[in-house]
Amino acid sequence: MSDETKYFLPEDRLPRQWYNLAADFPVPMPPHRHPATFQPLTADDLSAIFPRTLCEQELTTERWIDIPEPVREIYRLWRPSPLVRARRLEKALDTPAKIYFKNESVSPAGSHKPTTAVAQAFYNKAEGTRRLTTETGAGQWGCSLAFAGEVFGLEVEVYMVKVSYEQKPYRRALMETYGATCIPSPSTLTESGRQILARNPDTSGSLGIAISEAVEMAVQRDDTHYALGSVLNHVCIHQSLIGLEAMAQMEMAGDEPDIVIGCAGGGSNLAGIAAPYVREKINGRNVRIIGVEPASCPTLSKGRYAYDFGDTAQLTPLLMMKTLGATFIPPGSHSGGLRYHGMAPMVSHMHDLGYLEVQAYPQTACFEAAVQFARAEGILPAPESSHAIRAAINEALRCKEEGTEKTILFNLSGHGHLDMSAYMDFFSGKMSDPEFDTAQLAQALSDLPEVGV
Amino acid sequence: MSDETKYFLPEDRLPRQWYNLAADFPVPMPPHRHPATFQPLTADDLSAIFPRTLCEQELTTERWIDIPEPVREIYRLWRPSPLVRARRLEKALDTPAKIYFKNESVSPAGSHKPTTAVAQAFYNKAEGTRRLTTETGAGQWGCSLAFAGEVFGLEVEVYMVKVSYEQKPYRRALMETYGATCIPSPSTLTESGRQILARNPDTSGSLGIAISEAVEMAVQRDDTHYALGSVLNHVCIHQSLIGLEAMAQMEMAGDEPDIVIGCAGGGSNLAGIAAPYVREKINGRNVRIIGVEPASCPTLSKGRYAYDFGDTAQLTPLLMMKTLGATFIPPGSHSGGLRYHGMAPMVSHMHDLGYLEVQAYPQTACFEAAVQFARAEGILPAPESSHAIRAAINEALRCKEEGTEKTILFNLSGHGHLDMSAYMDFFSGKMSDPEFDTAQLAQALSDLPEVGV
């Protein structure tokens, strides 16, 4: 047993390959399907919006995928990210549990997102793309792609969910610092945006709508591709670095997690930290994997496992996933990054096969956990990440109750420095827990496409 | 030569002692003096506002001072901080120079300040203090002391310079997250505050005024002490960790700096990174040390080396330092942490003896450097730190011009995540370069106390 607080992997141990969990599921993942024909999707179908290599990564079941050297070069600005033993939090909770967290907040944009952004920008540049469009919720992804675009010399246009655009002007400013353009969504620039605004001029927007806008703008222009920050397989594959590094670092610490926790919006940070542990679980090791979602957008807890569109305007391929329905618009919350109707097919499949437990918490309970964590460990968590912290604290308290000494690993997916207005609301008592609208859910589920496979 | 990007020192190489440059100056530092008698100050004189151990550290010329184990324990949350080779910035500048920076932005509060805050809170707690008062400019110091107070179970009251209080609500929210109370200064709670407000109700405040308020509130209450985030010797001593770690890390990198750069407001981060290098310079090694200050508050460039008060209401001891005069109120700028009329006696002495070069830059030139740095290295710098970056870039460009391959080390004293409004002003063209008021300087210098020693 080591008594360090922080575990750093040397740069030459930064993995040279991403891990693809799709290779190891005992039942294959259901294929993505073409939105018009319902046929299994081909790389050609995707090539209108993504560069060839990413289309192939999206569909492959190869277990290991080489990371290009220029991508590793950029990763080294912040990766391998630290693994931290939360000793002061353990003491504050007076728990026999050991708590570790992977600190993804050290990246340029302050979250796990640059890990896929850099890879996506690289492949786009290599294949001649001049401009990338994307959507962003809380702004973490927009900042990440802005940075990655700057690194490889690509223009970046970000459609930002309107409620976040208004709540988080600093996140917008960070995108501009990295040289990107930021547009509130829905906008009048796109057909999808104009349609939504005609129906509902006061909409606060949603990730689903913003995706439609970004995809539309990419399809319309030959020199432009689209980039997605979560959900898709290639994104989850890139994020496997989180889990691969964590596994090596847990070994440095002389420890092994009994419980692995990640918050779940689109699903990529959860897929990232969990992937190598799910592989071990498939091979028989006893480890609990917990996905944590907001009670106001409980995709895994209350969604249906079905083929659905990734966006509102039905421009994306059909993905087999846990979904609240692509027409479902989650209530506004301070965790913009978790306000998504669907869940990564890789995470959904994990859940369907019984490898993943799910917990859902209201946001005030998560902010309580975030403040307790900040006071113990110093780091101010992103509202999204506070969901993972809530679950980790609850599990640690259960260990105390039961007198068991479990080892808990969670992913601190990002810092909350640009989310201080949420903390201000929390302290002033202005924060409430948005209701989950079951009538809207019923409606959205009845809107699901009838794929019939 | 190593080809790493980041250099981490293992936790067991976190220094066990702070270094005190006062031990090594060939000419002793002039003593602090009592504000009424002008006699050299004793530890007793200081004990009304500081715990005994800090009073002794303030006056000692011992070279090495043991770091208490509970302080090292907290330091390990983020220290040793990384040393980073800015390879992408070097490439962007196309310079033969090598650029390294010490990344102090990884601390809980996002700057170098917690390194002294934790030590000060520890000694106060150990000696029975129940409450700490302090001032803060940009808010970095207030957040740091708030965190340190929380760690050791002390109440913390922060007087925040009014212009920053209004410009930086997020910094205030962070102090509250760590459990501190934040009051805009000047306030009506103190005699010093009321006097200033009577004379100038619309004042934007200054660090000098806020110090007066905090000191007054500490003197009035038996269970309360005051804590200062810069200027004083004990603060500079604690910050020597920056330089000690950097020196060990430069050795890991197989390199040695020809130029060492820090921004200079109160002077502690500059003293911290420079101290062990000044020691080498005293012992004959050829190394340039550069302090960088804002053109709008050019204490080292245009101040007088004289005894002066640290605050506006003349409550502090008299310090021999470079000063613009304690009555000088610097114009508002986005680098609140550099808006101070005086300069740490340790840094002033360094300068007086010829060990320190000085450069001064207008803030827009510094933000240009900050954006260039952010786009290359990913990290968004604090406006204060951008002054050091400006100088580092200029020196690297000079190397290019002259074809010389120097090694440059600068201190990235903090991140700018809570200063995004400054970046928004910069991008919108709303940022101007405040004029330095020479008439006010003449007046303030004529107000200097006549100590006659």
Side-chain angles (χ1 to χ4, degrees), chain B residues 22 145 152 200 219-220 270 299 306 309 392 397 417 425:
Chain B
L145 197 69
F152 291 108
N200 184 0
V219 170
Q220 275 175 8
L270 172 60
T299 313
F309 294 98
L397 291 174
H417 301 160
D425 278 5

Side-chain angles (χ1 to χ4, degrees), chain A residues 50-58 120 123-124 234 238:
Chain A
F50 296 127
R52 194 77 204 178
T53 319
L54 291 178
C55 299
E56 285 160 7
Q57 287 181 9
E58 185 58 29
Q120 293 190 44
Y123 289 122
N124 271 288
H234 66 273
H238 301 155

